[in-house]
Every structure is written in structure tokens, then in C-alpha cells.
Amino acid sequence: MDKAGESFNKWLEEERERLIAELERLGVTEQDNPGYSTHIADDATEVFENAKNHALRQNLQRLLGQVNDALAKFEKGTYGLCEDCGEMIARARLKALPYATLCLKCQRQRERS
Ligand SMILES: [Zn+2]
């Protein structure tokens, strides 16, 4: 990988740390609240907060999975290659979305189907 590739790798490592820290923070918040899962939540605000936290955590986990996949590709030397057509993903696209797995053309094709 060239220099630009290394900066993607670094960004992904940092992003992984950030996501793990964020997930841990959400997890700790829950443990600080022992009544969280057992009592009947009759407070609409609390229900909303719990649902929001849950959605947030799912989102973070999904992102973490994508970041991990991208990092695994660095190890295999396939980072930046489209999973469908095998072509290089445009650098501008990787800059905007470092864990992109498809080139723009294939992404658009998938969105259409
Ligand atoms: Zn492609």
C-alpha cells in the first residue's frame, strides 16, 4: 500500500478505537442503572431514551463491523478493491467512506436492484 493507503489504515484504526470506546460508554451507562431491564418502563421519556440507546448501539456495532472488515482487507492486501468487480475504488470515494466495499458503479447497481 502507498502512503495514502496507510492514512486510510490509520484512520480506520482510530475509528475502531473510537467506536469501541463509545460502545463501552453506552454499556457502562446501562450497568449504572440496575433497574433498567427489570422494571416496567411506564415513563415515555425513558422508553424513548432506551430505544434511542439501543439504536445507537446497533448502529455503532454495525460501523465497527465495517471498520473491522476494512482492516482485515489491509491484512489480505485487498483494501480499496471493489467486492463485486474487483476494480480499484476511487480514492475520492474512500476518502469520504474509508470502509466502502463497492465502487460507485457497483453500489449504484445494487441500489437499483
Ligand atoms: Zn465495482
Coordinates of all heavy atoms in Angstrom, one line a residue, residues 22-101:
E22 N -16.9 4.2 22.5 CA -18.3 4.7 22.6 C -19.2 3.5 23.0 O -20.1 3.8 23.8 CB -18.7 5.1 21.1 CG -20.0 5.9 21.1 CD -19.9 7.3 21.5 OE1 -18.8 7.7 22.0 OE2 -20.8 8.1 21.4
L23 N -19.0 2.3 22.5 CA -19.8 1.2 22.9 C -19.6 0.9 24.4 O -20.6 0.6 25.1 CB -19.4 -0.1 22.1 CG -20.1 -0.1 20.7 CD1 -19.4 -1.2 19.8 CD2 -21.5 -0.5 20.8
E24 N -18.4 1.0 24.9 CA -18.1 0.8 26.3 C -18.9 1.8 27.1 O -19.4 1.5 28.2 CB -16.6 0.8 26.6 CG -16.0 -0.6 26.3 CD -14.5 -0.5 26.4 OE1 -13.9 0.6 26.7 OE2 -13.9 -1.6 26.1
R25 N -18.9 3.0 26.7 CA -19.5 4.1 27.4 C -21.0 3.8 27.5 O -21.6 3.9 28.6 CB -19.3 5.4 26.7 CG -19.6 6.6 27.5 CD -19.3 7.9 26.7 NE -20.1 8.0 25.5 CZ -21.3 8.4 25.4 NH1 -22.0 8.7 26.5 NH2 -22.0 8.4 24.2
L26 N -21.6 3.3 26.4 CA -23.1 3.0 26.5 C -23.3 1.8 27.4 O -24.3 1.8 28.1 CB -23.5 2.7 25.0 CG -23.7 3.9 24.1 CD1 -24.0 3.4 22.7 CD2 -24.8 4.8 24.6
G27 N -22.4 0.8 27.3 CA -22.6 -0.4 28.2 C -22.5 0.0 29.6 O -23.3 -0.5 30.4
V28 N -21.6 0.9 30.0 CA -21.4 1.3 31.4 C -22.6 2.0 31.9 O -23.1 1.8 33.0 CB -20.1 2.1 31.5 CG1 -20.1 2.8 32.9 CG2 -18.9 1.2 31.4
T29 N -23.2 2.8 31.0 CA -24.3 3.6 31.4 C -25.5 2.7 31.8 O -26.2 2.9 32.8 CB -24.8 4.5 30.2 OG1 -23.7 5.2 29.7 CG2 -25.9 5.5 30.7
E30 N -25.6 1.6 31.1 CA -26.6 0.6 31.4 C -26.4 -0.1 32.8 O -27.3 -0.3 33.5 CB -26.7 -0.4 30.3 CG -28.1 -0.7 29.8 CD -28.0 -1.5 28.5 OE1 -27.9 -2.7 28.7 OE2 -28.1 -0.9 27.5
Q31 N -25.1 -0.4 33.0 CA -24.8 -1.1 34.3 C -25.0 -0.1 35.5 O -25.3 -0.6 36.6 CB -23.4 -1.6 34.3 CG -23.3 -3.0 33.6 CD -21.9 -3.3 33.2 OE1 -20.9 -2.6 33.5 NE2 -21.7 -4.4 32.4
D32 N -24.9 1.1 35.2 CA -25.1 2.1 36.3 C -26.5 2.2 36.7 O -26.9 2.8 37.6 CB -24.6 3.5 35.8 CG -23.1 3.6 35.9 OD1 -22.5 2.7 36.5 OD2 -22.5 4.5 35.3
N33 N -27.4 1.6 35.9 CA -28.8 1.7 36.0 C -29.4 0.3 36.3 O -30.0 -0.3 35.4 CB -29.4 2.2 34.7 CG -30.0 3.6 34.9 OD1 -30.4 4.0 36.0 ND2 -30.2 4.3 33.8
P34 N -29.2 -0.3 37.5 CA -29.6 -1.7 37.6 C -31.1 -2.0 37.4 O -31.4 -3.1 37.0 CB -29.3 -2.0 39.1 CG -28.7 -0.7 39.7 CD -28.8 0.4 38.7
G35 N -31.9 -1.0 37.6 CA -33.4 -1.3 37.4 C -33.8 -1.3 35.9 O -34.9 -1.5 35.6
Y36 N -32.8 -1.0 35.0 CA -33.1 -0.7 33.6 C -33.9 -1.8 32.9 O -34.9 -1.5 32.3 CB -31.7 -0.5 32.9 CG -31.8 -0.6 31.4 CD1 -32.3 0.5 30.7 CD2 -31.3 -1.7 30.7 CE1 -32.4 0.5 29.3 CE2 -31.4 -1.7 29.4 CZ -31.9 -0.7 28.7 OH -31.9 -0.7 27.3
S37 N -33.5 -3.0 33.1 CA -34.2 -4.1 32.3 C -35.3 -4.7 33.0 O -36.1 -5.4 32.4 CB -33.1 -5.1 31.8 OG -32.6 -5.7 33.0
T38 N -35.4 -4.5 34.3 CA -36.4 -5.3 35.1 C -37.7 -4.6 35.3 O -38.8 -5.1 35.3 CB -35.8 -5.8 36.4 OG1 -35.2 -4.7 37.0 CG2 -34.9 -7.0 36.2
H39 N -37.6 -3.3 35.6 CA -38.8 -2.6 36.0 C -39.7 -2.2 34.8 O -39.1 -2.1 33.7 CB -38.6 -1.4 36.9 CG -38.3 -0.1 36.2 ND1 -37.0 0.4 36.0 CD2 -39.1 0.8 35.6 CE1 -37.1 1.5 35.4 NE2 -38.3 1.8 35.1
I40 N -41.0 -2.1 35.0 CA -41.8 -1.8 33.8 C -41.7 -0.4 33.5 O -41.9 0.5 34.3 CB -43.3 -2.1 34.2 CG1 -43.4 -3.6 34.5 CG2 -44.3 -1.7 33.1 CD1 -44.7 -4.0 35.3
A41 N -41.2 -0.1 32.3 CA -41.0 1.2 31.9 C -42.3 1.9 31.5 O -42.8 1.7 30.5 CB -40.0 1.2 30.7
D42 N -42.8 2.7 32.5 CA -44.0 3.4 32.2 C -43.8 4.9 31.8 O -44.7 5.6 31.5 CB -45.0 3.3 33.3 CG -44.4 3.7 34.6 OD1 -43.2 4.1 34.6 OD2 -45.0 3.7 35.7
D43 N -42.5 5.2 31.9 CA -42.2 6.6 31.5 C -41.8 6.7 30.1 O -40.8 6.1 29.6 CB -41.0 7.0 32.5 CG -40.6 8.5 32.2 OD1 -41.1 9.1 31.2 OD2 -39.7 9.0 33.0
A44 N -42.6 7.5 29.3 CA -42.4 7.5 27.9 C -41.0 8.0 27.5 O -40.3 7.5 26.6 CB -43.4 8.4 27.2
T45 N -40.5 9.0 28.3 CA -39.2 9.5 28.0 C -38.1 8.4 28.2 O -37.2 8.3 27.3 CB -38.8 10.7 29.0 OG1 -39.9 11.6 29.0 CG2 -37.6 11.4 28.6
E46 N -38.3 7.6 29.2 CA -37.3 6.6 29.4 C -37.3 5.5 28.3 O -36.3 5.1 27.9 CB -37.6 5.9 30.8 CG -36.4 5.0 31.2 CD -36.7 4.4 32.6 OE1 -37.3 5.1 33.4 OE2 -36.2 3.3 32.8
V47 N -38.5 5.2 27.9 CA -38.7 4.2 26.8 C -38.0 4.8 25.6 O -37.2 4.1 24.9 CB -40.2 4.0 26.5 CG1 -40.3 3.1 25.2 CG2 -40.8 3.2 27.7
F48 N -38.2 6.0 25.4 CA -37.6 6.7 24.2 C -36.1 6.6 24.3 O -35.4 6.3 23.4 CB -38.1 8.1 24.1 CG -37.5 8.9 23.0 CD1 -37.8 8.5 21.6 CD2 -36.6 9.9 23.2 CE1 -37.2 9.2 20.6 CE2 -36.0 10.6 22.2 CZ -36.3 10.3 20.9
E49 N -35.6 7.0 25.5 CA -34.1 7.0 25.7 C -33.5 5.6 25.5 O -32.5 5.5 24.9 CB -33.8 7.5 27.1 CG -33.9 9.0 27.3 CD -33.0 9.8 26.4 OE1 -31.9 9.5 26.3 OE2 -33.5 10.8 25.7
N50 N -34.2 4.6 26.0 CA -33.7 3.2 25.9 C -33.7 2.8 24.4 O -32.7 2.2 24.0 CB -34.6 2.3 26.7 CG -34.3 2.4 28.2 OD1 -33.3 3.0 28.6 ND2 -35.2 1.9 29.0
A51 N -34.8 3.1 23.7 CA -34.8 2.8 22.3 C -33.7 3.5 21.5 O -33.1 2.9 20.7 CB -36.2 3.1 21.8
K52 N -33.5 4.7 21.9 CA -32.5 5.5 21.2 C -31.1 4.9 21.5 O -30.3 4.8 20.6 CB -32.6 7.0 21.7 CG -32.0 8.0 20.7 CD -32.3 9.4 21.2 CE -31.5 9.7 22.5 NZ -31.6 11.1 22.9
N53 N -30.9 4.6 22.7 CA -29.6 4.0 23.1 C -29.4 2.7 22.3 O -28.3 2.4 21.9 CB -29.6 3.7 24.6 CG -28.7 4.7 25.3 OD1 -28.1 5.5 24.7 ND2 -28.6 4.5 26.6
H54 N -30.4 1.9 22.3 CA -30.4 0.6 21.6 C -30.0 0.8 20.1 O -29.2 0.1 19.6 CB -31.7 -0.1 21.8 CG -31.7 -1.5 21.2 ND1 -31.0 -2.5 21.7 CD2 -32.3 -2.0 20.1 CE1 -31.1 -3.6 21.0 NE2 -31.9 -3.3 20.0
A55 N -30.7 1.7 19.5 CA -30.5 2.0 18.1 C -29.1 2.5 17.9 O -28.4 2.1 16.9 CB -31.5 3.0 17.6
L56 N -28.6 3.4 18.8 CA -27.3 3.9 18.7 C -26.3 2.8 18.8 O -25.3 2.8 18.0 CB -27.1 4.9 19.8 CG -25.8 5.7 19.8 CD1 -25.7 6.6 18.6 CD2 -25.8 6.6 21.0
R57 N -26.5 1.9 19.7 CA -25.5 0.8 19.9 C -25.5 -0.1 18.7 O -24.4 -0.5 18.3 CB -25.9 0.0 21.2 CG -24.6 -0.5 21.9 CD -24.9 -1.0 23.3 NE -26.1 -1.7 23.5 CZ -27.0 -1.4 24.4 NH1 -26.8 -0.4 25.2 NH2 -28.1 -2.1 24.5
Q58 N -26.7 -0.4 18.2 CA -26.7 -1.2 17.0 C -26.0 -0.6 15.8 O -25.2 -1.2 15.1 CB -28.1 -1.5 16.6 CG -28.7 -2.7 17.3 CD -30.1 -3.1 16.7 OE1 -30.8 -2.2 16.3 NE2 -30.4 -4.3 16.8
N59 N -26.2 0.7 15.7 CA -25.5 1.5 14.7 C -24.0 1.4 14.8 O -23.2 1.2 13.9 CB -26.0 2.9 14.7 CG -25.7 3.7 13.4 OD1 -25.6 3.1 12.4 ND2 -25.4 4.9 13.6
L60 N -23.5 1.6 16.1 CA -22.1 1.6 16.4 C -21.5 0.2 16.1 O -20.4 0.1 15.5 CB -21.8 2.0 17.8 CG -22.0 3.4 18.2 CD1 -22.0 3.6 19.7 CD2 -21.0 4.3 17.6
Q61 N -22.3 -0.8 16.4 CA -21.8 -2.2 16.2 C -21.7 -2.5 14.7 O -20.7 -3.1 14.3 CB -22.7 -3.2 16.9 CG -22.1 -3.7 18.2 CD -23.1 -4.2 19.2 OE1 -24.3 -4.1 18.9 NE2 -22.6 -4.6 20.3
R62 N -22.6 -2.0 14.0 CA -22.6 -2.2 12.5 C -21.4 -1.5 11.9 O -20.7 -2.0 11.1 CB -23.9 -1.6 11.9 CG -24.2 -2.0 10.5 CD -25.6 -1.6 10.1 NE -25.8 -0.2 10.3 CZ -25.4 0.8 9.5 NH1 -24.8 0.5 8.4 NH2 -25.6 2.1 9.8
L63 N -21.1 -0.2 12.4 CA -20.0 0.5 11.9 C -18.7 -0.2 12.3 O -17.8 -0.3 11.5 CB -20.0 1.9 12.5 CG -20.8 3.0 11.8 CD1 -20.8 4.3 12.6 CD2 -20.3 3.2 10.4
L64 N -18.6 -0.7 13.5 CA -17.5 -1.4 14.0 C -17.2 -2.6 13.1 O -16.0 -2.9 12.7 CB -17.6 -1.8 15.4 CG -16.4 -2.4 16.1 CD1 -15.2 -1.4 16.1 CD2 -16.8 -2.8 17.6
G65 N -18.2 -3.3 12.7 CA -18.1 -4.5 11.8 C -17.5 -4.1 10.5 O -16.6 -4.7 10.0
Q66 N -18.0 -2.9 10.0 CA -17.5 -2.5 8.7 C -16.0 -2.1 8.8 O -15.2 -2.3 7.9 CB -18.3 -1.3 8.2 CG -19.7 -1.7 7.7 CD -20.6 -0.5 7.3 OE1 -20.5 0.5 8.0 NE2 -21.3 -0.7 6.3
V67 N -15.7 -1.4 9.9 CA -14.3 -0.9 10.1 C -13.4 -2.2 10.2 O -12.3 -2.2 9.6 CB -14.2 0.0 11.3 CG1 -12.8 0.2 11.8 CG2 -14.9 1.3 11.0
N68 N -13.8 -3.2 11.0 CA -13.1 -4.4 11.2 C -12.8 -5.1 9.8 O -11.8 -5.6 9.6 CB -13.7 -5.3 12.2 CG -13.4 -4.9 13.6 OD1 -12.4 -4.3 13.9 ND2 -14.3 -5.3 14.5
D69 N -13.9 -5.2 9.0 CA -13.8 -5.8 7.7 C -12.7 -5.1 6.9 O -11.9 -5.7 6.2 CB -15.1 -5.7 7.0 CG -16.1 -6.8 7.5 OD1 -15.7 -7.6 8.3 OD2 -17.3 -6.8 7.1
A70 N -12.8 -3.7 6.9 CA -11.8 -3.0 6.1 C -10.4 -3.2 6.6 O -9.5 -3.4 5.8 CB -12.2 -1.5 6.2
L71 N -10.2 -3.3 7.9 CA -8.9 -3.5 8.5 C -8.4 -4.9 8.1 O -7.2 -5.1 7.8 CB -8.9 -3.4 10.0 CG -8.9 -1.9 10.5 CD1 -9.3 -1.8 11.9 CD2 -7.6 -1.2 10.2
A72 N -9.3 -5.9 8.1 CA -8.9 -7.2 7.7 C -8.5 -7.2 6.2 O -7.6 -8.0 5.8 CB -10.1 -8.2 7.8
K73 N -9.0 -6.4 5.4 CA -8.7 -6.3 4.0 C -7.2 -5.7 3.8 O -6.5 -6.1 2.9 CB -9.6 -5.4 3.2 CG -10.9 -6.2 2.9 CD -11.8 -5.3 2.1 CE -13.2 -5.9 1.9 NZ -14.1 -5.1 1.2
F74 N -6.9 -4.9 4.7 CA -5.5 -4.4 4.7 C -4.5 -5.5 4.9 O -3.5 -5.6 4.2 CB -5.2 -3.3 5.8 CG -5.5 -1.9 5.3 CD1 -6.6 -1.3 5.7 CD2 -4.6 -1.3 4.5 CE1 -6.9 0.0 5.3 CE2 -4.8 0.0 4.1 CZ -5.9 0.7 4.5
E75 N -4.9 -6.4 5.8 CA -4.0 -7.6 6.1 C -3.9 -8.5 4.9 O -2.9 -9.0 4.6 CB -4.6 -8.4 7.2 CG -4.9 -7.5 8.4 CD -4.3 -8.0 9.7 OE1 -4.3 -9.3 9.9 OE2 -3.8 -7.2 10.5
K76 N -5.0 -8.6 4.2 CA -5.1 -9.5 3.0 C -4.5 -8.8 1.7 O -4.3 -9.4 0.7 CB -6.5 -10.0 2.7 CG -6.9 -11.1 3.7 CD -8.3 -11.7 3.3 CE -9.4 -10.8 3.7 NZ -10.7 -11.3 3.3
G77 N -4.4 -7.5 1.8 CA -3.9 -6.7 0.7 C -5.0 -6.4 -0.3 O -4.7 -6.2 -1.5
T78 N -6.3 -6.5 0.1 CA -7.3 -6.3 -0.9 C -8.1 -5.0 -0.6 O -9.2 -4.7 -1.1 CB -8.4 -7.5 -0.9 OG1 -8.9 -7.6 0.4 CG2 -7.7 -8.8 -1.3
Y79 N -7.5 -4.2 0.3 CA -8.2 -3.0 0.7 C -8.3 -2.0 -0.5 O -7.4 -1.9 -1.3 CB -7.5 -2.2 1.8 CG -8.2 -0.9 2.1 CD1 -9.3 -0.9 2.9 CD2 -7.7 0.3 1.6 CE1 -10.0 0.3 3.1 CE2 -8.3 1.5 1.9 CZ -9.5 1.5 2.6 OH -10.1 2.7 2.9
G80 N -9.5 -1.4 -0.7 CA -9.7 -0.5 -1.8 C -10.2 -1.1 -3.1 O -10.4 -0.4 -4.1
L81 N -10.3 -2.5 -3.0 CA -10.8 -3.1 -4.2 C -12.3 -3.4 -4.1 O -12.8 -3.8 -3.0 CB -10.1 -4.5 -4.4 CG -8.6 -4.4 -4.7 CD1 -8.0 -5.8 -4.8 CD2 -8.2 -3.5 -5.9
C82 N -13.0 -3.2 -5.2 CA -14.5 -3.4 -5.2 C -14.8 -4.9 -5.0 O -14.1 -5.8 -5.7 CB -15.1 -2.9 -6.5 SG -16.8 -3.3 -6.7
E83 N -15.7 -5.3 -4.1 CA -16.0 -6.7 -3.9 C -16.8 -7.3 -5.0 O -16.8 -8.5 -5.2 CB -16.8 -6.8 -2.6 CG -16.0 -6.7 -1.4 CD -16.8 -6.9 -0.1 OE1 -18.0 -7.1 -0.1 OE2 -16.1 -6.9 1.0
D84 N -17.4 -6.5 -5.9 CA -18.2 -7.1 -7.0 C -17.3 -7.2 -8.2 O -17.3 -8.3 -8.8 CB -19.4 -6.2 -7.3 CG -20.6 -6.6 -6.4 OD1 -20.4 -7.4 -5.5 OD2 -21.7 -6.1 -6.7
C85 N -16.7 -6.1 -8.7 CA -16.0 -6.2 -9.9 C -14.5 -6.3 -9.8 O -13.8 -6.5 -10.8 CB -16.4 -5.0 -10.8 SG -15.8 -3.4 -10.2
G86 N -14.0 -6.1 -8.6 CA -12.5 -6.2 -8.3 C -11.7 -5.0 -8.8 O -10.5 -5.0 -8.7
E87 N -12.3 -4.0 -9.2 CA -11.6 -2.8 -9.7 C -11.3 -1.9 -8.4 O -11.9 -2.0 -7.4 CB -12.5 -1.9 -10.6 CG -13.0 -2.7 -11.8 CD -12.3 -2.2 -13.1 OE1 -11.8 -1.1 -13.1 OE2 -12.2 -3.0 -14.0
M88 N -10.3 -1.1 -8.6 CA -10.0 -0.1 -7.5 C -11.1 0.8 -7.3 O -11.7 1.4 -8.2 CB -8.7 0.7 -7.9 CG -7.4 0.0 -7.7 SD -7.0 -0.3 -6.0 CE -6.7 1.3 -5.3
I89 N -11.4 1.0 -6.0 CA -12.5 2.0 -5.7 C -11.8 3.4 -5.7 O -10.7 3.5 -5.3 CB -13.0 1.7 -4.2 CG1 -13.7 0.4 -4.2 CG2 -14.0 2.8 -3.8 CD1 -14.1 -0.1 -2.8
A90 N -12.5 4.3 -6.3 CA -11.9 5.7 -6.5 C -11.5 6.2 -5.1 O -12.2 6.1 -4.1 CB -13.0 6.6 -7.1
R91 N -10.3 6.9 -5.2 CA -9.7 7.4 -3.9 C -10.7 8.4 -3.3 O -10.8 8.4 -2.0 CB -8.4 8.0 -4.3 CG -7.6 8.5 -3.1 CD -6.2 7.9 -3.2 NE -6.1 6.6 -2.7 CZ -5.0 5.8 -2.8 NH1 -4.0 6.3 -3.4 NH2 -5.0 4.6 -2.3
A92 N -11.3 9.2 -4.1 CA -12.2 10.2 -3.5 C -13.4 9.6 -2.7 O -13.8 10.1 -1.7 CB -12.8 11.1 -4.6
R93 N -13.8 8.4 -3.2 CA -14.9 7.7 -2.6 C -14.4 7.1 -1.2 O -15.0 7.1 -0.2 CB -15.4 6.5 -3.5 CG -16.4 5.6 -2.8 CD -17.2 4.9 -3.9 NE -17.9 3.7 -3.4 CZ -19.1 3.8 -2.7 NH1 -19.6 5.0 -2.5 NH2 -19.7 2.8 -2.3
L94 N -13.1 6.6 -1.2 CA -12.6 6.0 0.0 C -12.3 7.1 1.0 O -12.4 6.9 2.2 CB -11.2 5.3 -0.3 CG -11.4 4.0 -1.0 CD1 -10.0 3.4 -1.4 CD2 -12.1 3.0 -0.2
K95 N -12.0 8.3 0.5 CA -11.8 9.4 1.5 C -13.1 9.7 2.2 O -13.1 10.0 3.4 CB -11.3 10.6 0.7 CG -9.8 10.8 0.8 CD -9.4 12.2 0.4 CE -7.8 12.2 0.3 NZ -7.3 13.0 -0.8
A96 N -14.2 9.7 1.4 CA -15.5 10.0 2.0 C -16.0 8.9 2.9 O -16.7 9.0 3.9 CB -16.5 10.4 0.9
L97 N -15.6 7.6 2.5 CA -16.2 6.4 3.1 C -15.1 5.4 3.1 O -15.0 4.5 2.3 CB -17.4 5.9 2.3 CG -18.3 4.9 2.9 CD1 -19.1 5.6 4.0 CD2 -19.3 4.4 1.9
P98 N -14.1 5.4 4.1 CA -13.0 4.6 4.1 C -13.3 3.1 4.2 O -12.5 2.3 3.9 CB -12.2 5.0 5.3 CG -12.6 6.4 5.6 CD -14.1 6.4 5.2
Y99 N -14.5 2.7 4.6 CA -14.8 1.3 4.7 C -15.8 0.9 3.6 O -16.5 -0.1 3.7 CB -15.4 0.9 6.1 CG -16.3 2.0 6.7 CD1 -17.6 2.2 6.3 CD2 -15.8 2.8 7.7 CE1 -18.4 3.1 6.8 CE2 -16.6 3.7 8.3 CZ -17.9 3.9 7.8 OH -18.6 4.9 8.4
A100 N -15.8 1.7 2.5 CA -16.6 1.3 1.3 C -16.1 -0.1 0.8 O -14.9 -0.3 0.7 CB -16.5 2.4 0.3
T101 N -17.0 -0.9 0.4 CA -16.6 -2.2 -0.1 C -16.9 -2.4 -1.6 O -16.6 -3.3 -2.2 CB -17.4 -3.4 0.6 OG1 -18.8 -3.2 0.5 CG2 -17.0 -3.4 2.1

